[in-house]
C-alpha cells in the first residue's frame, strides 16, 4: 500500500520543463532517495511535496488524501534544507520550539519536547546558542531536531550533507539513517551523490532531465541498471558496445568485435538478435590472470596504466579496441601487474549485464 | 594584520572627507559668529545667533513643523516602501524590472518635477490641500518612499527565502511566517530606510517650495525665505540645529540596532 503517491506530476517553469510526467509511489516508513545530476528536477519534486511549488499537472496523495493544492503549513511534512535554514535571530531552543509554538502547545510541553529533541540529536546544552555559533554538523542536527520535534508524517531532506566536509558527511550519513530507522518516519532524500543514495536508501529513483529513469532497491539499481545513463551514473562502470548474437533462455552471447562473450539476458522484453546493446561489467567484478591455456578467458588485453589507490589498485586494460577499468584489492596474494603486461580477463557470466 | 593604504589613496580620502565636511563646518562656524552678518570666517565666536534662533517664533515653529512632517513621512514611507519592496522581490510578474525602475524613479526624478506635478494636480482637482501640511505630506512621501524601497530591497536580496519556507512547513501561516521570521531578518534594512526617509524629508527643499504656504513652512524653506530678505546668521544657527538633529537621529538608530545585537549576544553567552 503506497503512502506517498505522485501521479502524472509535471512542473513547467516558463520554458523549462523541470519535472515531466512523474509517477512514484513510496511506502510508509520507507527511506526513498531521488538521485540524479544537477538540474534534473529533484528539488522541484521535493518542493512540490512540501507545498512550495504547485504542480502544473498531476496529483500528489499522502495516505490517500489529495494534498496537491494544500499550503505547506497544512501538510504535516517536515523539510531539512541544504543550507539548514536555521532562523538566525533565534536561539537553538527557539528554533526547535518554533513548530510547537505554532501548534499552541503549553510552555511546559514545549520545554519537555525541545529537551527531548535536543537529546535525540545529541545537542543538549546548546539551547542558548545562535546559528552563527554552530558548526555545519551542529546546524544539521538542529535542523533535523526542529523538524522531528513536530512529529511530521513525512521527512524531506534536500542534499543535507552537501555543505559538510567528507569526513563529517560519512559520519552524518549513518547518523541520519539511524535516526530515521529509530523514528520509523517515511523519508524522501534528495542527493546527487550515488554513494549516499546506495548506502542509505531502501529504494532509489534515478532521475534525469525531469524524468524518472529507474526505480529500485540499491542492489537492483547497481547490479541491473535499466539504461546506459543509470549504469554510468551509479558507481564505476565499463560499458562495452556490442551486438546481440544469440539468445537462449536467460543467457545470450554478445559480439564485442574481436571476441564474443556470454552474458545474462536482461529482464523485460526479450532481446532481438542483431540489436545494438552495451555490456556492463563493474571494475571490481573482473579478475586478471596471466595468459595461459588452462581456461579460456572472457577477453585478453594489455595493461595500459596502473594506479595505486591505497586499499585497491586500479588498472586500465586495453582490450577489444576499448579501455576497461579493473579494480583489484590490494592484497599480498594478488600479484602486481605493470604497464605493458599481457593479461587475461575473467568474470562470472552473471557479472556481465546487458544494458539496452 | 595591519592594513596599508597607499599614500595617494590616503591623500585622496582625506581630501574627500574635507570636501564633504566643509559645508557643515562653514554653517556651524557662521552660526557661531559674534558679528552682525553671515560671514565666513566668523567675526569672533558667540552664541548670540543660537539664542536668536531659539527665541525666534518663525524658526522654531518651522523647525518643529519640519520635524513633525518628517516623522509623519517616515511612518508612511516605511510602511509603503517595505510593502513595495516585498512585492517587487516576490512577484514573478513579467515586467517586474520595469516596475522596480518605476518605483525607484523618484530618486532620479528632480524634486522640482514632483513638486510641480503635485502642485498642478492639487490646484487642477481643487482638492483644497494644495498649501497645507497634508499636501506637503503627500509630496514628501512620494519623494522619500523610494529610499525605503531601495534599502529594504537590498535587505531582501540577501535574505534567504528558505527561512520563510521553513517557517511555513513548521506550521506558520504566511502572515505569521512573515512577522516571526522575515521581518526580524530584514529589520536592519527597514530601520535604515526609515532613517533615510526621515532625513530626506527633513532636508527636502524643492517639493516643499511648491507645496508650502507662509504659515506651514518647513525649515529649509523658512531659512531660504529669510535669507532672501536679510542676510543674518540666525539661518546658519537654524542649520546647526538641523545638522544636530540629523546626526543625532543617525547615531541614535545606529545605537539602537547595536544595543539589540548586544542583548542578543549576552543572552547567547548565558
Ligand atoms: N523557481 C524556478 N524558476 C524557474 N526555473 C526553475 C525554478 N526552480 C527550478 N527551475 C529549473 O528547473 C530545473 C530543475 O531544477 P531543480 O532545482 O529541481 O534541480 P535539482 O535536481 O534539484 O538540481 P541541483 O542538484 O542542482 O539542486 C532546472 O533547470 C532549474 O533551472
Ligand atoms: Mg536541488
Amino acid at each position: 500500500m503506497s503512502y506517498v503517491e505522485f501521479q502524472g506530476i509535471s512542473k513547467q517553469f516558463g520554458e523549462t520543463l523541470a519535472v515531466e510526467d512523474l509517477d512514484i509511489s513510496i511506502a510508509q516508513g520507507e527511506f526513498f532517495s531521488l538521485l540524479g545530476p544537477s538540474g534534473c528536477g529533484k528539488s522541484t519534486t521535493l518542493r512540490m511535496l512540501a507545498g512550495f511549488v504547485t504542480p502544473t499537472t498531476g496529483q500528489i496523495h499522502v495516505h490517500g488524501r489529495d494534498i496537491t493544492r494544500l499550503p505547506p503549513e497544512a501538510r504535516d511534512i517536515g523539510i531539512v534544507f541544504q543550507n539548514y535554514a536555521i532562523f538566525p535571530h533565534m536561539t537553538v531552543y527557539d528554533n526547535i520550539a518554533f513548530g510547537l509554538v505554532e501548534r499552541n502547545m503549553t510552555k511546559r510541553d514545549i520545554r519537555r519536547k525541545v529537551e527531548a529533541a535536543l537529546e535525540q540529536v545529541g545537542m543538549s546544552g546548546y539551547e542558548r546558542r545562535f546559528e552563527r555559533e554552530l558548526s555545519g554538523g551542529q546546524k544539521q542536527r538542529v535542523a533535523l531536531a526542529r523538524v522531528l520535534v513536530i512529529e511530521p508524517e513525512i521527512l524531506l531532506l534536500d542534499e543535507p550533507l552537501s555543505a559538510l566536509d567528507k569526513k563529517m558527511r560519512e559520519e552524518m550519513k549513518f547518523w541520519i539513517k539511524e535516526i530515521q530507522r529509530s523514528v520509523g518516519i517515511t523519508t524522501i532524500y534528495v542527493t546527487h551523490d550515488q554513494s549516499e543514495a546506495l548506502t542509505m536508501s531502501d529504494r532509489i529513483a534515478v532521475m534525469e532531465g525531469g524524468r524518472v529513469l529507474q526505480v529500485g532497491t540499491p542492489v537492483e539499481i547497481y547490479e541491473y541498471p535499466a539504461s546506459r545513463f543509470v549504469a554510468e551514473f551509479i558507481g564505476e562502470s565499463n560499458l562495452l558496445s556490442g551486438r546481440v548474437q544469440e539468445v537462449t533462455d536467460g543467457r545470450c552471447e554478445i559480439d564485442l568485435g574481436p571476441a564474443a562473450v556470454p552474458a545474462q539476458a536482461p529482464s523485460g522484453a526479450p532481446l532481438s538478435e542483431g540489436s545494438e546493446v552495451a555490456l556492463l561489467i563493474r571494475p571490481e567484478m573482473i579478475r586478471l590472470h596471466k595468459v595461459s591455456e588452462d581456461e579460456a578467458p572472457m577477453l585478453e588485453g594489455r595493461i595500459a596504466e596502473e594506479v595505486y589507490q591505497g586499499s585497491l589498485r586500479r588498472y586500465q586494460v586495453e582490450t577489444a579496441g576499448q579501455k576497461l577499468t579493473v579494480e583489484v584489492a590490494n592484497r599480498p596474494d594478488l600479484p602486481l601487474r605493470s604497464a605493458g603486461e599481457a593479461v587475461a580477463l575473467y568474470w562470472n557470466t552473471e557479472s556481465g549485464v546487458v544494458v539496452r | 594584520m595591519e592594513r596599508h593604504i597607499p599614500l595617494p589613496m590616503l591623500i585622496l580620502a582625506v581630501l574627500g572627507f574635507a570636501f564633504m565636511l566643509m559645508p557643515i563646518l562653514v554653517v556651524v562656524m557662521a552660526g557661531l559668529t559674534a558679528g552682525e552678518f553671515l560671514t565666513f570666517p566668523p567675526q569672533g565666536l558667540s552664541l548670540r545667533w543660537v539664542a536668536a534662533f531659539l527665541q525666534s517664533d518663525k524658526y522654531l515653529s518651522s523647525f518643529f513643523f519640519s520635524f513633525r512632517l518628517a516623522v509623519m513621512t517616515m511612518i508612511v514611507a516605511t510602511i509603503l516602501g517595505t510593502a513595495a519592496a516585498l512585492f517587487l522581490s516576490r512577484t514573478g510578474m513579467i515586467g517586474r524590472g520595469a516596475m522596480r525602475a518605476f518605483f525607484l524613479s523618484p530618486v532620479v526624478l528632480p524634486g522640482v518635477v514632483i513638486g510641480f506635478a503635485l502642485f498642478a494636480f492639487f490646484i487642477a482637482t481643487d482638492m483644497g490641500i494644495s498649501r497645507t501640511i497634508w499636501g506637503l505630506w503627500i509630496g514628501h512621501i512620494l519623494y522619500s518612499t523610494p529610499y525605503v524601497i531601495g534599502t529594504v530591497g537590498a535587505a531582501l536580496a540577501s535574505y534567504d527565502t528558505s527561512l520563510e519556507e521553513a517557517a511555513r512547513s513548521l506550521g506558520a501561516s504566511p502572515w505569521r511566517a512573515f512577522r516571526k521570521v522575515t521581518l526580524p531578518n530584514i529589520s536592519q534594512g527597514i530601520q535604515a530606510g526609515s532613517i533615510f526617509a526621515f532625513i530626506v524629508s527633513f532636508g527636502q527643499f524643492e517639493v516643499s517650495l511648491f507645496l508650502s504656504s507662509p504659515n506651514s513652512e518647513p525649515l529649509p524653506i523658512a531659512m531660504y525665505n529669510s535669507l532672501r530678505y536679510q542676510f543674518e546668521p540666525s539661518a546658519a544657527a537654524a542649520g546647526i540645529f538641523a545638522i544636530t538633529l540629523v546626526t543625532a537621529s543617525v547615531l541614535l538608530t545606529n545605537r539602537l540596532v547595536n544595543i539589540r545585537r548586544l542583548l542578543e549576544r549576552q543572552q547567547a553567552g548565558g
Side-chain angles (χ1 to χ4, degrees), chain A residues 47 52 71-73 77-79 81 83 85-90 98-99 101-103 128 130 132-133 146-147 150, chain B residues 160 162-174 176-177 180-182 184-185 261 264-265 267-270:
Chain A
R47 293 168 60 77
F52 305 136
E73 63 268 26
I77 293 175
I79 180 165
F81 292 87
N83 58 2
I86 308 287
F87 306 133
H89 61 297
M90 291 183 189
F98 190 93
V101 173
E102 291 305 311
R103 281 162 178 71
R128 311 185 76 169
F130 282 89
R132 57 182 174 274
E133 299 163 325
R146 184 174 69 178
V147 165
I150 62 170
Chain B
D160 175 8
S162 60
L163 291 178
E164 195 167 303
E165 290 176 346
R168 291 289 301 281
S169 82
L170 289 170
S173 66
R176 301 248 325 151
K180 291 188 70 185
V181 175
T182 305
N185 281 295
R261 274 216 194 130
E264 267 180 16
R265 293 248 169 77
Q267 279 173 359

Side-chain angles (χ1 to χ4, degrees), chain A residues 31-32 41 119 131 163 169 219 262 269 278 311 314 316 318:
Chain A
F31 194 114
F32 192 91
E119 170 121 31
E131 184 231 25
R169 212 151 50 211
V219 173
S311 65
R314 179 196 298 266
Q316 296 290 326
E318 260 173 20

